[in-house]
């Protein structure tokens, strides 16, 4: 067996040393931390920043943190943040103009107009420091792979995303429990971390205190683990980690028929359920903001008094009215059309556009919907009474 | 990094280009001929650029004329809102930003060889079809029939008048023009474009039809051509949706499975027909 694939036991202070090591290599280390009643992702510098002893309880329209009876640092599932906040930030400056040369008044056409040379200066595409992410879940790695295809898999890779993505280090963790909102098993994205990581950790509890197994997935991960003293994991430890993953997978209560849903939704664009969900949906955009794969954006231009223009890209949502505006009005004026756009995009047309589903089954949109709309339930409702649409003639 | 250098340019950053000529096409529509400091990136008929009006914003605008001997690229813009008004207002000597070209254009290369090619334009839809028609006229001998049917609201809205007059005289082209409404001075046709389709002489089974105009006009025209025997897979239409990035990354231009900036704007009728009748898609 190659050394890299070996599962090792970290020493007692292993996680603390790993954190120090990563930071000493110049990374901005981002990990889970408890803030304002939620576990969010932010820069961390020590194990004490992690939400040790806390977990999250989630249901449709409900999220709350709760104290655990042990000191697990990764004993929660997912909060409102995802890593897209760092790889594809909510706001990015794309460019700025500087007036090069003097603005001169030249007689052009009938009227005298200011003729100014335009110069566009692209915004910085590299982060100040490369990111290292700690505590990345299996479904989140799948979400990153999905955004990779959207933002750098086509003819015009987004240079901002690409530089952040390619310099990032992923320290993943296998889930030791599932939230009630999780459905990664049916989406084929979890709970076990199988690829796309530099290091994957498994948190095992010994008398309520955490111990860690670690495995490298890349040369960068290997070179970090090589600096920590460790031995190979024992057969008993490997067994426990397997049982823990099986229990996590087995406890998942929600599911989505990932194979059938693509065709199902495409064939049911006029299903009455769209009216039903539209009567509940507030078009608040929460689901799209918390979703780790949603990538829709808008741009805003600002011009300052000295004539310098700045273009900023920011997250947007297919739930906003302006999103589908063309001259004369919005194409998707009703909430029905906007919810239909969102769900069919996630689960059906995403396959056509980017060769994968747009959903990894993380359940964030379920928990953070203020009215508790659950996409798995909406799909089930449509599947239970599929219409026979399509082939309408014009 | 400024775009256009030796390095891979940032596709989000425009390059500055300069207006050299400006012509009024109709009361609300202007053609701008643009000059680029370096060589123009190669474009195909039916592709579009994102034009940035300084201090106002960006809009998707089709290429209405590819750079010819004078090296100028043409865009034709109807003033409908803030950005398009500012673009149409630019005068020779003034600069604007440009990103592109983007999208998939008209099938007027080898695919058109030996085919009976029909172009049907509504209103501003003639702008993206103009480079296609010019390319087809250049290779006229390799084609079967060639026809242009063009409809606008009224006689003042007719675009490219000098050229249109030449096209009408050109024996190699069946050219029909119609308007929705006109006063008694108008000697030509009145009515929608679909009424003129039966006059065209072509072999439906061998036809290639390129449509551009308001969605309802394209839908009706496509259905009429299909009823005349043109295969659905031989009908192409150019779709319009909101666009911000033109790179397939902002999600705005979705039309069901298609991202119009990336997979279009020219799409095949048999692939979009079911969606054309879904409201608010
Ligand atoms: C592929 C393609 C080719 C086009 N070719 C031409 C052409 O050759 N000539 C021409 O005159 N017009 C063309 N258009 C339409 C043109 O892009 C819109 O008319 C223009 O964006 C309207 O912006 P506005 O600010 O002037 O108008 P408003 O209607 O006032 O728009 C207000 C705001 O809405 C947004 N908006 C409105 N329509 C669009 C749109 N289609 N895409 C993105 N944002 C929009 C803009 O952000 C704008 O700031 C084309 C559109 C597409 C998609
Ligand atoms: S759609 Fe919902 S469950 Fe699926 S990835 Fe997005 S937030 Fe997670
Ligand atoms: S489904 Fe829920 S979270 Fe999404 S827009 Fe509607 S109300 Fe908001
Ligand atoms: S315009 Fe952004 S995805 Fe097409």
């Amino acid at each position: 067996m190659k050394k890299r694939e070996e599962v090792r036991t970290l020493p007692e202070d292993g996680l603390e040393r790993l954190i120090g090591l990563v930071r000493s290599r110049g990374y901005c280390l981002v990990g889970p931390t408890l803030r304002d009643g939620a576990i969010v992702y932010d820069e961390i510098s020590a194990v004490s920043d992690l939400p040790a002893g806390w977990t999250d309880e989630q249901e449709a329209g409900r999220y709350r943190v709760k104290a655990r009876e042990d000191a697990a640092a990764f004993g929660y599932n997912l909060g409102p943040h995802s890593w897209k906040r760092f790889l594809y930030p909510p706001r990015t400056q794309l460019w700025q103009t500087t007036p090069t040369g003097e603005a001169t008044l030249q007689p052009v056409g009938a009227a005298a107009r200011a003729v100014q040379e335009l110069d566009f200066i692209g915004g910085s595409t590299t982060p100040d420091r490369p990111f290292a992410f700690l505590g990345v879940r299996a479904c989140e790695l799948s979400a990153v792979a999905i955004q990779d295809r959207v933002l750098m898999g086509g003819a015009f890779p987004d240079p901002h995303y690409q530089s952040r993505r390619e310099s990032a280090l992923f320290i993943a963790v296998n889930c030791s429990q599932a939230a009630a909102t999780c459905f990664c098993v049916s989406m084929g994205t979890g709970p076990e971390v199988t690829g796309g990581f530099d290091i994957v950790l498994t948190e095992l509890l010994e008398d309520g205190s955490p111990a860690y197994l670690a495995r490298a997935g890349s040369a960068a991960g290997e070179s970090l683990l090589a600096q920590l003293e460790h031995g190979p994991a024992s057969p008993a430890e490997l067994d426990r980690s397997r049982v823990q993953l099986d229990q996590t997978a087995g406890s998942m209560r929600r599911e989505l028929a990932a194979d059938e849903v693509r065709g199902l939704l495409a064939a049911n664009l006029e299903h009455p359920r769209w009216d039903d969900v539209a009567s509940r949906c507030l078009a608040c955009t929460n689901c799209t903001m918390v979703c780790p794969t949603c990538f829709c954006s808008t741009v805003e231009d600002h011009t300052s008094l000295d004539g310098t223009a700045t273009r900023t890209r920011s997250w947007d949502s297919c739930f906003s009215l302006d999103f589908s505006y063309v001259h004369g009005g919005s194409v998707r004026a009703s909430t029905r059309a906007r919810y239909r756009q969102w769900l069919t995009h996630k689960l059906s047309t995403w396959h056509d556009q980017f060769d994968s589903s747009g959903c990894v089954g993380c359940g964030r949109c379920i928990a953070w919907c203020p009215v508790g709309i659950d996409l798995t339930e909406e799909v089930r409702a449509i599947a239970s009474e599929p219409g026979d649409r399509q082939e309408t003639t014009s | 990094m400024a775009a256009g250098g030796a390095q891979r340019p940032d596709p989000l950053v425009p390059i500055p280009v300069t207006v050299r000529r400006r012509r009024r096409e109709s009361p609300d529509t202007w053609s701008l001929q643009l000059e680029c400091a370096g060589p123009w990136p190669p474009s195909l008929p039916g592709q579009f650029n994102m034009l940035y009006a300084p201090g106002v914003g960006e809009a998707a605008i089709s290429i209405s004329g590819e750079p010819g001997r004078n090296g100028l690229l043409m865009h034709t813009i109807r003033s409908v809102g803030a950005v398009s008004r500012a673009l149409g207002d630019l005068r020779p000597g003034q600069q604007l930003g440009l990103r592109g070209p983007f999208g998939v254009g008209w099938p007027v290369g080898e695919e058109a060889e030996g085919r009976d090619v029909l172009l049907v334009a509504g209103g501003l839809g003639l702008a993206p079809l103009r480079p296609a028609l010019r390319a087809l006229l250049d290779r006229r001998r390799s084609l079967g029939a060639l026809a242009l049917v063009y409809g606008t609201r009224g006689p003042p809205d007719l675009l490219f008048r000098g050229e249109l007059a030449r096209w009408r005289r050109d024996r190699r082209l069946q050219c029909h023009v119609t308007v929705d409404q006109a006063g008694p001075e108008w000697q030509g046709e009145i009515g929608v474009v679909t009424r003129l389709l039966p006059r065209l002489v072509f072999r439906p089974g061998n036809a290639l039809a390129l449509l551009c105009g308001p969605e309802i006009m394209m839908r009706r025209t496509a259905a009429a051509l299909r009823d005349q025997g043109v295969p659905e897979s031989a009908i192409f239409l150019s779709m319009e949706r909101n666009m911000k990035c033109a790179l397939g990354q902002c999600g705005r231009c979705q039309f069901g499975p298609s991202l119009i900036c990336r997979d279009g704007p020219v799409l095949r009728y048999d692939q979009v027909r079911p969606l054309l009748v879904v409201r608010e898609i």
Side-chain angles (χ1 to χ4, degrees), chain B residues 65-147:
Chain B
E66 295 183 275
R69 257 164 303 165
N70 63 7
L72 301 180
L73 178 98
M74 186 163 108
H75 280 292
T76 302
I77 299 144
R78 171 171 293 160
S79 300
V80 297
V83 177
S84 49
R85 200 171 302 128
L87 288 171
D89 245 17
L90 291 168
R91 302 302 153 99
Q94 289 190 303
Q95 290 200 306
L96 62 153
L98 178 147
R99 296 192 291 129
F102 298 116
V104 176
W106 302 108
V108 291
E110 279 171 11
E111 317 90 300
E113 229 146 84
R115 307 281 288 273
D116 291 0
V117 188
L118 319 178
L119 284 64
V120 186
L124 197 58
L126 187 57
L129 280 172
R130 178 177 176 269
L133 180 57
R134 288 163 66 107
L136 290 166
L137 283 169
D138 282 348
R139 56 186 321 180
R140 179 65 187 87
R141 285 217 209 136
S142 70
L143 310 174
L146 180 62

Side-chain angles (χ1 to χ4, degrees), chain A residues 322 325-328, chain B residues 48 58-63 76-85 124 127-128 239-244 260 265:
Chain A
D322 187 53
Y325 184 86
V326 286
H327 176 66
Chain B
F48 66 96
E58 207 174 42
I61 305 289
S62 302
I63 295 170
T76 302
I77 299 144
R78 171 171 293 160
S79 300
V80 297
V83 177
S84 49
R85 200 171 302 128
L124 197 58
M239 298 290 299
E240 182 183 339
R241 278 295 180 274
N242 188 311
M243 287 189 185
K244 292 289 179 201
I260 289 178

